[in-house]
Amino acid sequence: MISKSNPLIETKDLVKKFGSFTALNGVSLKVYPGEVHALLGDNGAGKSTLIKALSGVHQPTSGKILVEGNETKFNSPRDASEVGIGTVYQDLALNSLTSVTRNFFLGRELKFGKGPFGILKMQKMHNIAIEEMAKIGIKIEDPEQPVGTMSGGQRQTLAIARAIYFGAKVLILDEPTSALGQKQQMEVLKTIKKVQQLGNIAIILITHNEIHARLIADRYTFISLGEVIGSGTSKDLEGDDIRRLMAGGAEVGDLAKELA
Amino acid sequence: MSSSKTSRKESDRHNPKNSLISMISRPEIGPIGVMILLFGMLGYFSIPASETTWNPFAGEGFNALGIRNNLRVISQLGIIALGAGLLIIAGEFDLSIGSMIGFAGACMAMTLRWGFSIVLPYISFDGGAHLEFYTLLHIPDVSPILAIFITLCFTITFGWIQGFIIVRSGLPSFIVTLGGLFFLRGLTEVSLRSFNHRPDQAKGATTVTEIPDIKNIINLPGYGEMEREAAKYLPETDLISILKNLPSDVITKITERLEYTSQRVAEAKTDLLIAKGVKPLEKALENAIASDNEFMIKTIQDKIENFKIDPVTPKTVTDVDIARAYIDTIGSARPVADFFGGNILEPIFDWLYFPVDWNVNNFGNQFAPGLYSCVMIWVILSLVCYIVLSKTQVGNWIYSTGGNLSAAQANGVPTNKVKISLFMFSAFCATLFATCQVFEVNTSDAAKGNLKELEAIAAAVIGGIVMTGGFGTILGIIVGAFIFGLAKEAFFYIPGIDGSFYRVFLGFVIIASALLNENIRKRIMGNI
Ligand SMILES: Nc1ncnc2c1ncn2[C@@H]1O[C@H](COP(=O)(O)OP(=O)(O)OP(=O)(O)O)[C@@H](O)[C@H]1O
Ligand SMILES: [Mg+2]
């Protein structure tokens, strides 16, 4: 599964300081197309800060971000999404009160004529929304269904399908399974797997769930206190390594003793 | 545990649409029910006691004049409810609508009456320091369209300012527009008083009167522009000379109509006379029956049977009558004023009188000349709003701005622009309301539009708009305006109760609607 191609997105010695507090202290990582790259680490390790830098929410204090080998600077989330970085935030940026289609195309509606008063191409948008969601494994019966009535997993899929349809080459998922029940977690993992199989999209996945990571991740980066403390492919790492590194390097065995 | 359930798929849980069920689960269905109920009530209770029947359309609420007046109330409210409703869908409020109506009306009336100038104040030291004004621009005669334009410049700018303050400061729109409510009302009163101020008065009135009836200015061939009423009371010789230049078919048509009218008036008079003569006899008959006086009963019955009255002879149609009727048919020379303040559907209401014999009052004359123009304005505005809200990109932006602001922003929706534009639109609607009013009645009063902002919000809520934003339809807002307007009228006709009970009723309806709306919203949000 590991692609030999060049990384789609890469960071070099990324540093982010919030005043005197160093949230990221020189993080380097490479994400390849067709790969799920799991970003693991304890609470407050700096995972969200890292992806916010990648998606243009934060500007790094120093260090470089390279997209397809070219150094890039993002001044806003818009800049990032223009070069193909699609972020699915924890709140998914969906409007529960309107339909699947209206959410799918929110802010980028297809319309007849120019300008904001252009008439929506509703039927075409319905078709695309259904088709795109079907591509990553969710069949929607009624594109007019309000998003609020969909399950959490379906909503995740909608947000992911939307990001991909609008040209995301790098898909960033911040804890996509955290608020879901067992069955829906599996649904989302299947969706991610489908996206991975598309082959041309690099996925950055933040999760606290070791099992999920092991199920779909191709490569791991462990972060602790703003620094990378380990990385590798799924073949390189044993289950114990993962557990140990996820907890910030502390031995789980030690913890078990402490708790006892 | 049986494992046969595993064949069930997620899609099995979705009920395919049943057209009947999806129709009755539309959020507007409740309000539409209330509207129909009120329609019935209005019709039924407006039937005069002597003519009881179960057909609600026999009632005064639905005679030609009733329709004209009811639709006026409804459409005026409907116009501002559209502005208020769209704003609520986008998650904001406008409490300044009512004051904006007063302000816009005063601004328009003042420019129509006194003209428009732009002045530069400066301090002059000639004979003690005092303020003087340098006139940059003065337009003494402001046309209707210019008056509307000038007013819109003020009101839309004010709407923009309110919106700008709200999106920039993050203050609740309640507070900012509450400020707007007081500010505009005060400004209106102050400026009306100072413009109306005369040296012999302590302070001026807060009304503008003596504006000519602009929509009824006509271009009378050979006489130039004048008010219709003035034209009708020209010397009779002049009137007759006007007729000379008219094609004969026009004269025939007008004559035919006038003869029909005088015939109809004569019939109505005869009926009235008969009724007047027979009524006391019937009363006497009742008394006679009550006292069991056989002889009296018989004589009175005879009298009623043989009651005769010579039919009133129809008034003959003179040339002067024809000339006056012709003047009535001349179109307005001020189409803009007529567009906002005149009547619409006049040919239909004419037809309903002339051949159909329905649009007739008790005296045999035509009852209603047409509908008020504001009905048309409301219809046009509703159509535009409907298309914008449900068919265009902006519509989706409005819904998402109110539904989930941060989601809308994350997807690149210019939410601030959406909100500011809607504050401007709400000011625009208030100005439309005022424009119709000013050109209808040719006066303006600083108190105009009082409490209208709350009525507009109430109509929107009744129509299914959720106060927290993101949910509602234009059809709902229309129904809400109907309910509000109909309730006002229907309760007025209920015999033996205070007309103000309509407020009690609306209070219930508002709370019930809000509860219903919240329930629907929660169901959609997946919380039920
Ligand atoms: N805007 C900010 N200003 C100041 N400090 C911040 C800011 N954002 C994050 N931090 C700090 O940076 C550190 C890393 O936060 P971050 O959100 O990246 O953690 P995380 O790895 O995503 O944790 P979690 O697993 O709990 O989501 C935390 O200590 C946090 O308090
Ligand atoms: Mg985080």
Side-chain angles (χ1 to χ4, degrees):
Chain A
M1 207 56 195
I2 306 304
S3 140
K4 299 272 178 329
S5 59
N6 299 319
L8 250 178
I9 190 165
E10 186 178 355
T11 66
K12 278 189 180 157
D13 294 323
L14 214 58
V15 176
K16 176 66 190 174
K17 290 191 171 146
F18 295 112
S20 60
F21 181 81
T22 309
L24 295 177
N25 191 19
V27 173
S28 300
L29 102 161
K30 288 179 179 166
V31 190
Y32 295 89
E35 249 185 48
V36 175
H37 193 125
L39 214 51
L40 305 168
D42 216 353
N43 287 119
K47 306 180 294 293
S48 293
T49 308
L50 175 60
I51 63 151
K52 278 181 181 158
L54 292 179
S55 56
V57 177
H58 290 328
Q59 280 72 51
T61 313
S62 70
K64 288 181 193 167
I65 298 173
L66 294 98
V67 178
E68 294 178 307
N70 307 314
E71 192 176 339
T72 329
K73 268 215 156 58
F74 303 136
N75 291 316
S76 70
R78 201 158 252 256
D79 288 354
S81 78
E82 257 158 38
V83 300
I85 296 173
T87 310
V88 176
Y89 293 102
Q90 270 163 326
D91 70 356
L92 303 178
L94 293 174
N95 176 10
S96 304
L97 287 166
T98 51
S99 70
V100 172
T101 305
R102 280 178 179 272
N103 269 285
F104 194 98
F105 286 92
L106 182 55
R108 284 163 292 213
E109 295 84 353
L110 306 181
K111 62 204 171 185
F112 298 103
K114 281 218 163 69
F117 289 98
I119 302 288
L120 299 175
K121 296 180 177 172
M122 249 329 168
Q123 195 52 49
K124 189 168 178 201
M125 295 199 295
H126 283 329
N127 296 342
I128 293 173
I130 291 181
E131 203 178 298
E132 291 298 311
M133 290 183 69
K135 269 189 203 162
I136 54 172
I138 296 263
K139 231 176 104 51
I140 288 290
E141 301 286 329
D142 177 11
E144 304 250 30
Q145 183 185 358
V147 164
T149 61
M150 304 202 331
S151 73
Q154 287 172 324
R155 283 185 230 191
Q156 242 347 299
T157 309
L158 171 56
I160 293 172
R162 175 170 73 178
I164 294 171
Y165 179 73
F166 288 104
K169 289 179 281 184
V170 180
L171 187 65
I172 300 176
L173 305 170
D174 193 356
E175 302 193 29
T177 53
S178 62
L180 303 178
Q182 280 294 335
K183 192 158 166 259
Q184 293 183 4
Q185 289 181 356
M186 291 305 132
E187 232 173 70
V188 172
L189 292 181
K190 267 192 241 162
T191 301
I192 298 173
K193 196 85 192 161
K194 278 253 170 68
V195 177
Q196 177 199 41
Q197 281 160 2
L198 294 176
N200 53 352
I201 293 170
I203 303 156
I204 300 175
L205 170 71
I206 296 181
T207 179
H208 283 284
N209 191 318
E210 177 207 341
I211 301 169
H212 292 175
R214 290 171 68 85
L215 277 171
I216 56 169
D218 303 299
R219 200 182 285 270
Y220 299 82
T221 294
F222 299 91
I223 299 183
S224 178
L225 304 176
E227 290 178 10
V228 175
I229 55 163
S231 63
T233 63
S234 46
K235 275 189 222 132
D236 304 342
L237 296 165
E238 295 289 323
D240 278 354
D241 293 338
I242 293 175
R243 225 166 293 141
R244 183 173 54 81
L245 289 164
M246 271 180 81
E251 290 292 349
V252 178
D254 296 349
L255 189 67
K257 263 180 222 150
E258 257 176 62
L259 287 173
Chain B
M1 267 267 272
S2 88
S3 58
S4 66
K5 286 230 172 88
T6 51
S7 59
R8 234 172 97 79
K9 286 201 284 294
E10 182 64 28
S11 58
D12 297 335
R13 295 164 60 185
H14 188 265
N15 280 333
K17 263 194 186 166
N18 172 325
S19 60
L20 184 70
I21 287 182
S22 71
M23 199 190 79
I24 60 169
S25 63
R26 273 190 75 86
E28 293 98 353
I29 200 72
I32 287 178
V34 177
M35 183 176 85
I36 292 170
L37 174 80
L38 285 168
F39 258 118
M41 274 171 68
L42 174 58
Y44 180 70
F45 288 119
S46 67
I47 296 168
S50 57
E51 299 166 21
T52 23
T53 143
W54 281 105
N55 169 18
F57 293 102
E60 281 170 17
F62 293 126
N63 66 25
L65 196 64
I67 290 176
R68 172 175 161 89
N69 290 334
N70 290 336
L71 277 180
R72 180 196 195 194
V73 173
I74 292 167
S75 60
Q76 284 183 337
L77 178 61
I79 289 170
I80 47 172
L82 286 170
L86 282 184
L87 198 51
I88 298 175
I89 294 178
E92 300 288 346
F93 269 106
D94 190 354
L95 290 182
S96 72
I97 293 174
S99 301
M100 187 69 88
I101 291 171
F103 174 81
C107 180
M108 209 170 301
M110 286 194 287
T111 44
L112 286 169
R113 172 113 158 74
W114 290 299
F116 178 73
S117 13
I118 300 174
V119 294
L120 211 64
Y122 63 94
I123 298 171
S124 159
F125 294 100
D126 283 346
H130 65 285
L131 213 56
E132 292 228 339
F133 298 95
Y134 177 73
T135 308
L136 287 175
L137 168 83
H138 181 66
I139 311 169
D141 259 322
V142 175
S143 67
I145 185 107
L146 186 59
I148 294 169
F149 177 75
I150 291 168
T151 307
L152 278 176
C153 287
F154 285 115
T155 53
I156 291 191
T157 307
F158 194 81
W160 179 85
I161 292 171
Q162 290 194 126
F164 185 79
I165 293 174
I166 287 162
V167 299
R168 273 306 155 94
S169 67
L171 282 173
S173 48
F174 183 91
I175 290 302
V176 175
T177 59
L178 185 65
L181 179 153
F182 286 111
F183 177 88
L184 281 174
R185 186 69 72 193
L187 188 66
T188 311
E189 284 169 359
V190 167
S191 21
L192 278 175
R193 280 212 188 94
S194 54
F195 276 90
N196 270 324
H197 182 77
R198 284 191 219 113
D200 58 326
Q201 285 175 317
K203 50 185 172 179
T206 56
T207 56
V208 182
T209 51
E210 293 165 49
I211 303 171
D213 189 7
I214 302 170
K215 62 177 176 297
N216 274 320
I217 291 177
I218 55 169
N219 201 342
L220 192 61
Y223 291 82
E225 288 188 347
M226 55 165 64
E227 276 186 46
R228 202 185 295 278
E229 282 309 299
K232 278 160 116 173
Y233 290 96
L234 283 171
E236 299 199 347
T237 47
D238 290 357
L239 287 173
I240 291 166
S241 72
I242 289 170
L243 278 191
K244 297 230 168 73
N245 302 325
L246 285 183
S248 62
D249 59 320
V250 173
I251 295 188
T252 337
K253 235 181 150 187
I254 293 175
T255 316
E256 216 176 290
R257 236 196 95 98
L258 285 176
E259 273 165 0
Y260 174 82
T261 305
S262 66
Q263 180 66 39
R264 202 65 191 71
V265 169
E267 277 169 26
K269 272 189 186 156
T270 313
D271 286 349
L272 276 178
L273 285 179
I274 292 174
K276 248 192 200 156
V278 173
K279 272 247 169 74
L281 288 177
E282 282 173 345
K283 253 264 158 68
L285 182 64
E286 261 172 51
N287 287 339
I289 291 170
S291 58
D292 228 4
N293 186 335
E294 289 266 345
F295 173 74
M296 278 298 274
I297 292 175
K298 235 182 146 54
T299 22
I300 295 173
Q301 270 173 344
D302 270 1
K303 266 195 174 172
I304 291 178
E305 251 164 56
N306 298 324
F307 187 88
K308 250 200 201 119
I309 236 170
D310 291 333
V312 179
T313 41
K315 202 170 143 271
T316 46
V317 174
T318 66
D319 280 357
V320 174
D321 291 333
I322 297 173
R324 285 185 180 146
Y326 164 69
I327 287 168
D328 268 332
T329 63
I330 300 176
S332 172
R334 296 279 184 280
V336 174
D338 193 48
F339 181 82
F340 288 102
N343 294 316
I344 55 162
L345 302 184
E346 283 161 306
I348 293 182
F349 277 73
D350 253 15
W351 171 76
L352 286 173
Y353 173 66
F354 186 34
V356 177
D357 194 28
W358 175 71
N359 180 15
V360 186
N361 67 13
N362 286 340
F363 306 104
N365 287 306
Q366 179 166 348
F367 215 164
L371 294 180
Y372 286 98
S373 258
C374 52
V375 178
M376 169 184 64
I377 309 267
W378 181 43
V379 171
I380 296 173
L381 198 66
S382 300
L383 261 174
V384 171
C385 287
Y386 167 74
I387 290 171
V388 167
L389 186 63
S390 54
K391 303 279 176 217
T392 71
Q393 183 172 37
V394 172
N396 203 22
W397 291 356
I398 293 173
Y399 277 125
S400 59
T401 300
N404 185 344
L405 187 66
S406 60
Q409 281 164 345
N411 286 296
V413 174
T415 54
N416 286 352
K417 274 191 196 157
V418 168
K419 285 186 179 181
I420 293 177
S421 312
L422 287 174
F423 275 106
M424 291 160 76
F425 179 68
S426 150
F428 172 78
C429 291
T431 312
L432 273 187
F433 182 112
T435 309
C436 293
Q437 226 171 31
V438 167
F439 287 110
E440 261 169 36
V441 299
N442 307 310
T443 58
S444 156
D445 186 330
K448 279 271 154 70
N450 200 15
L451 289 183
K452 285 286 172 206
E453 63 283 337
L454 298 184
E455 292 187 7
I457 292 171
V461 171
I462 292 171
I465 306 287
V466 173
M467 290 310 276
T468 45
F471 192 73
T473 63
I474 296 296
L475 178 62
I477 300 177
I478 294 172
V479 173
F482 260 106
I483 290 181
F484 206 105
L486 286 173
K488 222 172 183 170
E489 295 298 305
F491 276 78
F492 172 76
Y493 280 114
I494 299 178
I497 77 162
D498 190 320
S500 287
F501 265 111
Y502 92 87
R503 291 222 168 90
V504 177
F505 170 79
L506 281 175
F508 273 115
V509 173
I510 290 168
I511 294 172
S513 315
L515 287 172
L516 183 74
N517 298 344
E518 187 54 22
N519 181 283
I520 294 172
R521 191 185 75 91
K522 279 199 182 130
R523 204 175 310 159
I524 289 176
M525 294 288 278
N527 294 343
I528 287 186

